[in-house]
Amino acid sequence: MAESPIRLQLRTERRDEVFAKEDQPIGDFTFNAKVADVFDDMVSRSVPYYEEMQRMVCELAQDFAAPA
């Protein structure tokens, strides 16, 4: 019996505007809750083939992961 494919759904409905304001001071990057909330949108626009890589990781996990 063939397993059903995993459907990956990135959370890109929330647009990344973390550094959008010109008057805010830019400091060191911090991965906080505000960044985590828009991470998929942020990285999707910055990393070529991000969605495809995520899909492939899910497919590999489905093929090779064993129950604990």
Side-chain angles (χ1 to χ4, degrees):
M1 171 172 36
E3 293 185 36
S4 62
I6 294 175
R7 295 278 307 153
L8 176 69
Q9 184 165 355
L10 298 178
R11 294 181 53 214
T12 58
E13 67 277 359
R14 293 190 179 209
R15 187 80 177 154
D16 166 32
E17 296 180 3
V18 174
F19 297 107
K21 295 179 184 175
E22 292 183 24
D23 61 341
Q24 76 182 30
I26 303 295
D28 291 340
F29 180 80
T30 303
F31 194 93
N32 55 24
K34 191 174 184 181
V35 171
D37 197 38
V38 296
F39 182 77
D40 281 332
D41 177 61
M42 182 184 287
V43 76
S44 292
R45 292 181 295 111
S46 303
V47 177
Y49 303 106
Y50 173 73
E51 187 172 357
E52 178 64 9
M53 287 186 286
Q54 293 288 37
R55 186 199 62 75
M56 291 169 63
V57 167
C58 290
E59 189 175 307
L60 287 168
Q62 186 178 19
D63 289 347
F64 295 104

Short mmCIF file of all heavy atoms in Angstrom, two decimals:
data_model
loop_
_atom_site.label_atom_id
_atom_site.label_comp_id
_atom_site.label_asym_id
_atom_site.label_seq_id
_atom_site.Cartn_x
_atom_site.Cartn_y
_atom_site.Cartn_z
N MET A 1 0.85 -1.18 0.00
CA MET A 1 0.00 0.00 0.00
C MET A 1 0.89 1.24 0.00
O MET A 1 1.79 1.37 0.82
CB MET A 1 -0.90 -0.02 1.23
CG MET A 1 -1.64 1.26 1.42
SD MET A 1 -2.91 1.34 2.69
CE MET A 1 -2.37 0.38 4.02
N ALA A 2 0.66 2.16 -0.90
CA ALA A 2 1.45 3.39 -0.99
C ALA A 2 1.00 4.39 0.06
O ALA A 2 -0.20 4.56 0.30
CB ALA A 2 1.32 3.99 -2.37
N GLU A 3 1.98 5.02 0.69
CA GLU A 3 1.66 6.04 1.68
C GLU A 3 1.28 7.33 0.98
O GLU A 3 1.76 7.63 -0.10
CB GLU A 3 2.86 6.28 2.58
CG GLU A 3 3.19 5.09 3.46
CD GLU A 3 4.31 5.42 4.42
OE1 GLU A 3 4.36 6.55 4.91
OE2 GLU A 3 5.11 4.53 4.68
N SER A 4 0.42 8.10 1.63
CA SER A 4 0.03 9.37 1.03
C SER A 4 1.17 10.37 1.19
O SER A 4 1.89 10.35 2.18
CB SER A 4 -1.23 9.90 1.70
OG SER A 4 -0.98 10.13 3.07
N PRO A 5 1.37 11.22 0.19
CA PRO A 5 2.46 12.19 0.27
C PRO A 5 2.19 13.23 1.36
O PRO A 5 1.04 13.56 1.63
CB PRO A 5 2.47 12.84 -1.11
CG PRO A 5 1.11 12.59 -1.66
CD PRO A 5 0.61 11.32 -1.03
N ILE A 6 3.25 13.70 1.95
CA ILE A 6 3.13 14.74 2.97
C ILE A 6 2.92 16.08 2.27
O ILE A 6 3.61 16.40 1.31
CB ILE A 6 4.41 14.80 3.83
CG1 ILE A 6 4.54 13.52 4.64
CG2 ILE A 6 4.40 16.00 4.75
CD1 ILE A 6 5.82 13.42 5.42
N ARG A 7 1.97 16.84 2.75
CA ARG A 7 1.71 18.16 2.19
C ARG A 7 2.36 19.19 3.11
O ARG A 7 1.98 19.33 4.26
CB ARG A 7 0.21 18.42 2.11
CG ARG A 7 -0.53 17.53 1.15
CD ARG A 7 -0.45 17.94 -0.28
NE ARG A 7 -0.86 19.32 -0.43
CZ ARG A 7 -0.42 20.10 -1.39
NH1 ARG A 7 0.41 19.67 -2.28
NH2 ARG A 7 -0.82 21.33 -1.47
N LEU A 8 3.34 19.88 2.61
CA LEU A 8 4.02 20.92 3.36
C LEU A 8 3.30 22.24 3.14
O LEU A 8 2.99 22.61 2.01
CB LEU A 8 5.47 21.05 2.88
CG LEU A 8 6.27 22.18 3.51
CD1 LEU A 8 6.53 21.87 4.98
CD2 LEU A 8 7.57 22.36 2.77
N GLN A 9 3.03 22.92 4.23
CA GLN A 9 2.40 24.22 4.11
C GLN A 9 3.22 25.23 4.91
O GLN A 9 3.25 25.18 6.14
CB GLN A 9 0.96 24.20 4.61
CG GLN A 9 0.27 25.52 4.41
CD GLN A 9 -1.22 25.43 4.56
OE1 GLN A 9 -1.77 24.35 4.74
NE2 GLN A 9 -1.88 26.55 4.50
N LEU A 10 3.91 26.10 4.19
CA LEU A 10 4.68 27.14 4.84
C LEU A 10 3.75 28.24 5.32
O LEU A 10 2.72 28.50 4.72
CB LEU A 10 5.71 27.72 3.88
CG LEU A 10 6.76 26.75 3.35
CD1 LEU A 10 7.68 27.45 2.37
CD2 LEU A 10 7.57 26.16 4.48
N ARG A 11 4.15 28.87 6.41
CA ARG A 11 3.34 29.96 6.96
C ARG A 11 3.82 31.29 6.38
O ARG A 11 4.60 31.99 6.99
CB ARG A 11 3.47 29.97 8.47
CG ARG A 11 2.86 28.75 9.13
CD ARG A 11 2.98 28.80 10.63
NE ARG A 11 2.45 30.06 11.12
CZ ARG A 11 2.93 30.70 12.18
NH1 ARG A 11 3.95 30.23 12.84
NH2 ARG A 11 2.41 31.84 12.58
N THR A 12 3.36 31.60 5.18
CA THR A 12 3.77 32.85 4.53
C THR A 12 2.65 33.88 4.51
O THR A 12 2.79 34.93 3.89
CB THR A 12 4.25 32.59 3.09
OG1 THR A 12 3.20 31.96 2.37
CG2 THR A 12 5.49 31.74 3.07
N GLU A 13 1.55 33.61 5.19
CA GLU A 13 0.45 34.57 5.20
C GLU A 13 0.79 35.80 6.03
O GLU A 13 0.23 36.87 5.82
CB GLU A 13 -0.85 33.93 5.71
CG GLU A 13 -0.85 33.53 7.18
CD GLU A 13 -0.21 32.19 7.46
OE1 GLU A 13 0.23 31.51 6.53
OE2 GLU A 13 -0.14 31.81 8.64
N ARG A 14 1.71 35.67 6.97
CA ARG A 14 2.15 36.83 7.74
C ARG A 14 3.41 37.39 7.10
O ARG A 14 4.43 36.75 7.07
CB ARG A 14 2.42 36.43 9.19
CG ARG A 14 1.15 36.04 9.88
CD ARG A 14 1.38 35.90 11.34
NE ARG A 14 0.13 35.54 11.97
CZ ARG A 14 -0.17 35.86 13.19
NH1 ARG A 14 0.69 36.50 13.94
NH2 ARG A 14 -1.32 35.50 13.70
N ARG A 15 3.31 38.59 6.60
CA ARG A 15 4.40 39.23 5.86
C ARG A 15 5.47 39.74 6.82
O ARG A 15 5.18 40.37 7.83
CB ARG A 15 3.83 40.38 5.06
CG ARG A 15 4.79 41.04 4.14
CD ARG A 15 4.94 40.22 2.90
NE ARG A 15 5.84 40.95 2.01
CZ ARG A 15 6.57 40.38 1.10
NH1 ARG A 15 6.50 39.10 0.91
NH2 ARG A 15 7.36 41.07 0.34
N ASP A 16 6.71 39.46 6.49
CA ASP A 16 7.85 39.92 7.27
C ASP A 16 8.03 41.42 7.14
O ASP A 16 8.29 41.92 6.05
CB ASP A 16 9.12 39.19 6.80
CG ASP A 16 10.39 39.83 7.31
OD1 ASP A 16 10.36 40.39 8.43
OD2 ASP A 16 11.41 39.78 6.62
N GLU A 17 7.85 42.13 8.23
CA GLU A 17 8.10 43.57 8.27
C GLU A 17 8.92 43.91 9.50
O GLU A 17 8.82 45.03 10.04
CB GLU A 17 6.78 44.33 8.24
CG GLU A 17 6.02 44.12 6.95
CD GLU A 17 4.70 44.86 6.89
OE1 GLU A 17 4.38 45.60 7.85
OE2 GLU A 17 3.99 44.71 5.89
N VAL A 18 9.73 42.97 9.96
CA VAL A 18 10.50 43.14 11.19
C VAL A 18 11.43 44.35 11.10
O VAL A 18 11.57 45.11 12.05
CB VAL A 18 11.29 41.86 11.52
CG1 VAL A 18 12.20 42.05 12.71
CG2 VAL A 18 10.33 40.70 11.78
N PHE A 19 12.07 44.53 9.96
CA PHE A 19 13.00 45.66 9.80
C PHE A 19 12.48 46.67 8.78
O PHE A 19 13.26 47.35 8.12
CB PHE A 19 14.38 45.14 9.36
CG PHE A 19 15.02 44.23 10.37
CD1 PHE A 19 15.10 42.87 10.14
CD2 PHE A 19 15.52 44.74 11.55
CE1 PHE A 19 15.69 42.04 11.07
CE2 PHE A 19 16.10 43.92 12.50
CZ PHE A 19 16.19 42.56 12.26
N ALA A 20 11.18 46.81 8.66
CA ALA A 20 10.59 47.67 7.63
C ALA A 20 10.64 49.16 7.98
O ALA A 20 10.71 50.00 7.09
CB ALA A 20 9.15 47.26 7.38
N LYS A 21 10.61 49.49 9.25
CA LYS A 21 10.58 50.90 9.64
C LYS A 21 11.97 51.50 9.51
O LYS A 21 12.94 50.99 10.05
CB LYS A 21 10.08 51.05 11.07
CG LYS A 21 8.65 50.61 11.25
CD LYS A 21 8.22 50.76 12.68
CE LYS A 21 6.81 50.23 12.85
NZ LYS A 21 6.40 50.24 14.25
N GLU A 22 12.04 52.62 8.78
CA GLU A 22 13.33 53.26 8.54
C GLU A 22 13.90 53.94 9.77
O GLU A 22 15.10 54.06 9.92
CB GLU A 22 13.21 54.27 7.40
CG GLU A 22 12.95 53.62 6.06
CD GLU A 22 12.90 54.64 4.95
OE1 GLU A 22 13.49 55.73 5.10
OE2 GLU A 22 12.28 54.34 3.92
N ASP A 23 13.04 54.39 10.68
CA ASP A 23 13.51 55.14 11.84
C ASP A 23 13.89 54.26 13.04
O ASP A 23 14.36 54.77 14.05
CB ASP A 23 12.46 56.17 12.27
CG ASP A 23 11.14 55.53 12.66
OD1 ASP A 23 10.90 54.37 12.27
OD2 ASP A 23 10.34 56.20 13.34
N GLN A 24 13.71 52.95 12.93
CA GLN A 24 14.07 52.09 14.06
C GLN A 24 15.56 51.75 14.02
O GLN A 24 16.12 51.56 12.94
CB GLN A 24 13.24 50.81 14.08
CG GLN A 24 13.65 49.77 13.05
CD GLN A 24 12.76 48.54 13.09
OE1 GLN A 24 11.59 48.64 13.42
NE2 GLN A 24 13.31 47.41 12.75
N PRO A 25 16.19 51.73 15.17
CA PRO A 25 17.62 51.37 15.17
C PRO A 25 17.80 49.90 14.82
O PRO A 25 17.04 49.05 15.24
CB PRO A 25 18.05 51.63 16.62
CG PRO A 25 16.79 51.59 17.42
CD PRO A 25 15.68 52.00 16.50
N ILE A 26 18.80 49.62 14.00
CA ILE A 26 19.10 48.25 13.60
C ILE A 26 20.23 47.74 14.50
O ILE A 26 21.31 48.30 14.51
CB ILE A 26 19.54 48.17 12.12
CG1 ILE A 26 18.47 48.75 11.21
CG2 ILE A 26 19.87 46.73 11.74
CD1 ILE A 26 17.17 48.00 11.18
N GLY A 27 19.94 46.70 15.23
CA GLY A 27 20.95 46.10 16.10
C GLY A 27 21.25 44.70 15.65
O GLY A 27 20.98 44.32 14.50
N ASP A 28 21.84 43.93 16.53
CA ASP A 28 22.12 42.53 16.21
C ASP A 28 20.82 41.77 15.98
O ASP A 28 19.80 42.04 16.61
CB ASP A 28 22.89 41.87 17.36
CG ASP A 28 24.31 42.40 17.49
OD1 ASP A 28 24.82 42.96 16.51
OD2 ASP A 28 24.89 42.25 18.58
N PHE A 29 20.86 40.84 15.05
CA PHE A 29 19.70 40.01 14.76
C PHE A 29 19.42 39.09 15.95
O PHE A 29 20.31 38.47 16.49
CB PHE A 29 19.96 39.16 13.51
CG PHE A 29 18.80 38.28 13.16
CD1 PHE A 29 17.71 38.78 12.48
CD2 PHE A 29 18.80 36.94 13.52
CE1 PHE A 29 16.64 37.97 12.14
CE2 PHE A 29 17.73 36.12 13.20
CZ PHE A 29 16.65 36.64 12.50
N THR A 30 18.18 39.04 16.36
CA THR A 30 17.74 38.17 17.44
C THR A 30 16.58 37.33 16.95
O THR A 30 15.60 37.86 16.44
CB THR A 30 17.27 39.00 18.66
OG1 THR A 30 18.33 39.85 19.07
CG2 THR A 30 16.88 38.10 19.80
N PHE A 31 16.71 36.01 17.07
CA PHE A 31 15.61 35.13 16.68
C PHE A 31 14.64 35.06 17.86
O PHE A 31 14.77 34.26 18.77
CB PHE A 31 16.12 33.73 16.32
CG PHE A 31 15.09 32.92 15.61
CD1 PHE A 31 15.05 32.90 14.23
CD2 PHE A 31 14.15 32.19 16.31
CE1 PHE A 31 14.09 32.15 13.55
CE2 PHE A 31 13.18 31.44 15.66
CZ PHE A 31 13.15 31.42 14.27
N ASN A 32 13.67 35.95 17.84
CA ASN A 32 12.69 36.03 18.91
C ASN A 32 11.30 35.65 18.38
O ASN A 32 11.17 35.22 17.24
CB ASN A 32 12.69 37.44 19.52
CG ASN A 32 12.45 38.52 18.47
OD1 ASN A 32 11.88 38.27 17.42
ND2 ASN A 32 12.92 39.72 18.74
N ALA A 33 10.28 35.80 19.20
CA ALA A 33 8.92 35.42 18.81
C ALA A 33 8.43 36.22 17.60
O ALA A 33 7.73 35.69 16.74
CB ALA A 33 7.97 35.60 19.98
N LYS A 34 8.81 37.49 17.51
CA LYS A 34 8.39 38.33 16.39
C LYS A 34 8.97 37.79 15.07
O LYS A 34 8.28 37.74 14.06
CB LYS A 34 8.87 39.76 16.64
CG LYS A 34 8.31 40.78 15.72
CD LYS A 34 8.77 42.17 16.18
CE LYS A 34 8.16 43.24 15.34
NZ LYS A 34 8.60 44.58 15.75
N VAL A 35 10.23 37.38 15.08
CA VAL A 35 10.87 36.81 13.90
C VAL A 35 10.29 35.43 13.60
O VAL A 35 10.00 35.11 12.45
CB VAL A 35 12.40 36.74 14.08
CG1 VAL A 35 13.05 35.96 12.95
CG2 VAL A 35 12.99 38.14 14.17
N ALA A 36 10.11 34.61 14.62
CA ALA A 36 9.58 33.26 14.43
C ALA A 36 8.21 33.30 13.77
O ALA A 36 7.88 32.44 12.95
CB ALA A 36 9.51 32.53 15.77
N ASP A 37 7.42 34.31 14.10
CA ASP A 37 6.07 34.42 13.56
C ASP A 37 6.06 34.65 12.05
O ASP A 37 5.12 34.27 11.37
CB ASP A 37 5.33 35.56 14.27
CG ASP A 37 3.84 35.48 14.10
OD1 ASP A 37 3.29 34.37 14.10
OD2 ASP A 37 3.21 36.55 13.95
N VAL A 38 7.11 35.25 11.51
CA VAL A 38 7.17 35.55 10.07
C VAL A 38 8.34 34.83 9.39
O VAL A 38 8.70 35.15 8.26
CB VAL A 38 7.28 37.08 9.82
CG1 VAL A 38 6.04 37.80 10.30
CG2 VAL A 38 8.54 37.65 10.46
N PHE A 39 8.91 33.84 10.06
CA PHE A 39 10.12 33.19 9.57
C PHE A 39 9.95 32.59 8.18
O PHE A 39 10.81 32.77 7.32
CB PHE A 39 10.59 32.11 10.55
CG PHE A 39 11.87 31.45 10.11
CD1 PHE A 39 13.08 32.09 10.27
CD2 PHE A 39 11.85 30.20 9.53
CE1 PHE A 39 14.25 31.50 9.85
CE2 PHE A 39 13.02 29.60 9.11
CZ PHE A 39 14.23 30.24 9.28
N ASP A 40 8.88 31.86 7.94
CA ASP A 40 8.70 31.22 6.63
C ASP A 40 8.68 32.26 5.51
O ASP A 40 9.28 32.06 4.46
CB ASP A 40 7.44 30.37 6.59
CG ASP A 40 7.62 29.02 7.25
OD1 ASP A 40 8.76 28.50 7.26
OD2 ASP A 40 6.64 28.48 7.77
N ASP A 41 8.01 33.38 5.73
CA ASP A 41 7.99 34.43 4.71
C ASP A 41 9.39 35.02 4.54
O ASP A 41 9.87 35.20 3.42
CB ASP A 41 7.01 35.53 5.10
CG ASP A 41 7.03 36.67 4.11
OD1 ASP A 41 6.73 36.44 2.92
OD2 ASP A 41 7.36 37.79 4.52
N MET A 42 10.07 35.28 5.64
CA MET A 42 11.40 35.87 5.61
C MET A 42 12.38 34.99 4.84
O MET A 42 13.07 35.44 3.94
CB MET A 42 11.90 36.09 7.05
CG MET A 42 13.25 36.74 7.18
SD MET A 42 13.80 36.85 8.90
CE MET A 42 12.76 38.13 9.53
N VAL A 43 12.43 33.73 5.20
CA VAL A 43 13.41 32.83 4.59
C VAL A 43 13.00 32.42 3.17
O VAL A 43 13.86 32.23 2.31
CB VAL A 43 13.69 31.60 5.49
CG1 VAL A 43 12.57 30.60 5.44
CG2 VAL A 43 15.00 30.95 5.17
N SER A 44 11.72 32.35 2.89
CA SER A 44 11.26 32.01 1.54
C SER A 44 11.72 33.04 0.51
O SER A 44 11.99 32.70 -0.64
CB SER A 44 9.74 31.91 1.49
OG SER A 44 9.30 30.80 2.22
N ARG A 45 11.81 34.28 0.92
CA ARG A 45 12.24 35.33 0.00
C ARG A 45 13.76 35.46 -0.04
O ARG A 45 14.31 36.11 -0.91
CB ARG A 45 11.61 36.67 0.39
CG ARG A 45 10.12 36.66 0.14
CD ARG A 45 9.42 37.97 0.49
NE ARG A 45 9.49 38.24 1.92
CZ ARG A 45 10.22 39.21 2.47
NH1 ARG A 45 10.92 40.04 1.71
NH2 ARG A 45 10.22 39.38 3.77
N SER A 46 14.45 34.83 0.90
CA SER A 46 15.90 34.97 0.99
C SER A 46 16.68 33.75 0.52
O SER A 46 17.83 33.88 0.10
CB SER A 46 16.31 35.26 2.43
OG SER A 46 15.66 36.41 2.92
N VAL A 47 16.10 32.57 0.64
CA VAL A 47 16.81 31.32 0.33
C VAL A 47 16.17 30.66 -0.90
O VAL A 47 15.02 30.24 -0.83
CB VAL A 47 16.76 30.36 1.54
CG1 VAL A 47 17.43 29.04 1.21
CG2 VAL A 47 17.38 31.00 2.77
N PRO A 48 16.93 30.59 -1.99
CA PRO A 48 16.39 29.93 -3.18
C PRO A 48 16.00 28.48 -2.89
O PRO A 48 16.71 27.77 -2.19
CB PRO A 48 17.55 29.99 -4.18
CG PRO A 48 18.42 31.10 -3.70
CD PRO A 48 18.28 31.11 -2.20
N TYR A 49 14.86 28.07 -3.39
CA TYR A 49 14.35 26.70 -3.27
C TYR A 49 14.08 26.27 -1.82
O TYR A 49 14.06 25.08 -1.51
CB TYR A 49 15.30 25.69 -3.94
CG TYR A 49 15.55 26.01 -5.39
CD1 TYR A 49 16.76 26.54 -5.79
CD2 TYR A 49 14.55 25.81 -6.34
CE1 TYR A 49 16.98 26.87 -7.12
CE2 TYR A 49 14.77 26.13 -7.66
CZ TYR A 49 15.98 26.65 -8.05
OH TYR A 49 16.20 26.97 -9.36
N TYR A 50 13.83 27.21 -0.93
CA TYR A 50 13.55 26.88 0.47
C TYR A 50 12.36 25.92 0.60
O TYR A 50 12.44 24.92 1.28
CB TYR A 50 13.29 28.15 1.29
CG TYR A 50 12.85 27.89 2.70
CD1 TYR A 50 13.74 27.42 3.65
CD2 TYR A 50 11.53 28.11 3.09
CE1 TYR A 50 13.35 27.18 4.96
CE2 TYR A 50 11.12 27.88 4.39
CZ TYR A 50 12.03 27.42 5.32
OH TYR A 50 11.63 27.18 6.61
N GLU A 51 11.28 26.23 -0.08
CA GLU A 51 10.08 25.39 0.01
C GLU A 51 10.36 23.97 -0.51
O GLU A 51 9.93 22.99 0.07
CB GLU A 51 8.91 26.01 -0.75
CG GLU A 51 7.61 25.26 -0.56
CD GLU A 51 6.42 25.98 -1.16
OE1 GLU A 51 6.57 27.09 -1.68
OE2 GLU A 51 5.33 25.41 -1.11
N GLU A 52 11.12 23.88 -1.60
CA GLU A 52 11.46 22.57 -2.15
C GLU A 52 12.34 21.78 -1.19
O GLU A 52 12.17 20.57 -1.01
CB GLU A 52 12.16 22.74 -3.51
CG GLU A 52 12.59 21.44 -4.14
CD GLU A 52 11.45 20.50 -4.53
OE1 GLU A 52 10.27 20.89 -4.47
OE2 GLU A 52 11.75 19.36 -4.89
N MET A 53 13.28 22.45 -0.54
CA MET A 53 14.13 21.77 0.45
C MET A 53 13.30 21.24 1.61
O MET A 53 13.52 20.13 2.09
CB MET A 53 15.24 22.70 0.95
CG MET A 53 16.32 22.92 -0.08
SD MET A 53 17.71 23.86 0.56
CE MET A 53 17.01 25.51 0.65
N GLN A 54 12.37 22.03 2.07
CA GLN A 54 11.50 21.60 3.17
C GLN A 54 10.68 20.38 2.75
O GLN A 54 10.51 19.43 3.51
CB GLN A 54 10.56 22.73 3.61
CG GLN A 54 11.27 23.88 4.25
CD GLN A 54 11.79 23.53 5.63
OE1 GLN A 54 12.24 22.42 5.91
NE2 GLN A 54 11.74 24.49 6.51
N ARG A 55 10.16 20.41 1.52
CA ARG A 55 9.38 19.29 1.03
C ARG A 55 10.23 18.02 0.97
O ARG A 55 9.79 16.94 1.37
CB ARG A 55 8.82 19.61 -0.38
CG ARG A 55 7.87 18.52 -0.90
CD ARG A 55 7.69 18.61 -2.41
NE ARG A 55 8.93 18.40 -3.15
CZ ARG A 55 9.51 17.20 -3.33
NH1 ARG A 55 8.99 16.12 -2.80
NH2 ARG A 55 10.62 17.09 -4.03
N MET A 56 11.47 18.16 0.50
CA MET A 56 12.36 17.01 0.39
C MET A 56 12.72 16.43 1.76
O MET A 56 12.80 15.21 1.93
CB MET A 56 13.62 17.40 -0.38
CG MET A 56 13.36 17.67 -1.85
SD MET A 56 14.73 18.43 -2.73
CE MET A 56 15.97 17.17 -2.60
N VAL A 57 12.94 17.29 2.73
CA VAL A 57 13.23 16.83 4.10
C VAL A 57 12.05 16.03 4.64
O VAL A 57 12.24 14.97 5.25
CB VAL A 57 13.58 18.02 5.03
CG1 VAL A 57 13.57 17.60 6.48
CG2 VAL A 57 14.93 18.60 4.65
N CYS A 58 10.84 16.51 4.43
CA CYS A 58 9.65 15.78 4.88
C CYS A 58 9.56 14.42 4.19
O CYS A 58 9.23 13.41 4.82
CB CYS A 58 8.39 16.59 4.60
SG CYS A 58 8.24 18.05 5.64
N GLU A 59 9.85 14.39 2.90
CA GLU A 59 9.80 13.13 2.15
C GLU A 59 10.85 12.14 2.66
O GLU A 59 10.57 10.95 2.85
CB GLU A 59 10.02 13.43 0.67
CG GLU A 59 9.77 12.24 -0.23
CD GLU A 59 9.88 12.62 -1.69
OE1 GLU A 59 9.20 13.58 -2.12
OE2 GLU A 59 10.63 11.94 -2.41
N LEU A 60 12.06 12.61 2.91
CA LEU A 60 13.12 11.74 3.45
C LEU A 60 12.75 11.23 4.84
O LEU A 60 12.97 10.06 5.16
CB LEU A 60 14.45 12.47 3.49
CG LEU A 60 15.13 12.69 2.14
CD1 LEU A 60 16.27 13.66 2.28
CD2 LEU A 60 15.59 11.36 1.58
N ALA A 61 12.20 12.10 5.66
CA ALA A 61 11.79 11.69 7.01
C ALA A 61 10.73 10.61 6.93
O ALA A 61 10.76 9.63 7.68
CB ALA A 61 11.28 12.89 7.79
N GLN A 62 9.79 10.77 6.01
CA GLN A 62 8.74 9.78 5.85
C GLN A 62 9.32 8.45 5.40
O GLN A 62 8.88 7.39 5.86
CB GLN A 62 7.71 10.28 4.84
CG GLN A 62 6.51 9.37 4.72
CD GLN A 62 5.49 9.91 3.73
OE1 GLN A 62 5.78 10.75 2.90
NE2 GLN A 62 4.26 9.44 3.85
N ASP A 63 10.35 8.47 4.57
CA ASP A 63 10.97 7.24 4.06
C ASP A 63 11.84 6.56 5.09
O ASP A 63 11.90 5.32 5.13
CB ASP A 63 11.80 7.55 2.82
CG ASP A 63 10.96 7.89 1.61
OD1 ASP A 63 9.74 7.66 1.64
OD2 ASP A 63 11.53 8.44 0.64
N PHE A 64 12.55 7.31 5.92
CA PHE A 64 13.57 6.71 6.76
C PHE A 64 13.32 6.77 8.27
O PHE A 64 14.00 6.07 9.03
CB PHE A 64 14.93 7.34 6.46
CG PHE A 64 15.40 7.05 5.08
CD1 PHE A 64 15.34 8.02 4.08
CD2 PHE A 64 15.89 5.80 4.73
CE1 PHE A 64 15.76 7.77 2.80
CE2 PHE A 64 16.32 5.53 3.45
CZ PHE A 64 16.25 6.50 2.47
N ALA A 65 12.43 7.59 8.73
CA ALA A 65 12.19 7.71 10.17
C ALA A 65 11.53 6.44 10.70
O ALA A 65 10.67 5.83 10.05
CB ALA A 65 11.32 8.91 10.48
N ALA A 66 11.96 6.02 11.86
CA ALA A 66 11.40 4.82 12.50
C ALA A 66 10.75 5.23 13.81
O ALA A 66 11.23 6.14 14.49
CB ALA A 66 12.49 3.79 12.75
N PRO A 67 9.67 4.58 14.19
CA PRO A 67 9.04 4.89 15.46
C PRO A 67 10.01 4.64 16.62
O PRO A 67 10.82 3.74 16.59
CB PRO A 67 7.85 3.93 15.55
CG PRO A 67 7.78 3.24 14.24
CD PRO A 67 9.02 3.50 13.48
N ALA A 68 9.89 5.48 17.62
CA ALA A 68 10.78 5.36 18.79
C ALA A 68 10.33 4.23 19.71
O ALA A 68 9.25 3.81 19.75
CB ALA A 68 10.79 6.66 19.57
#
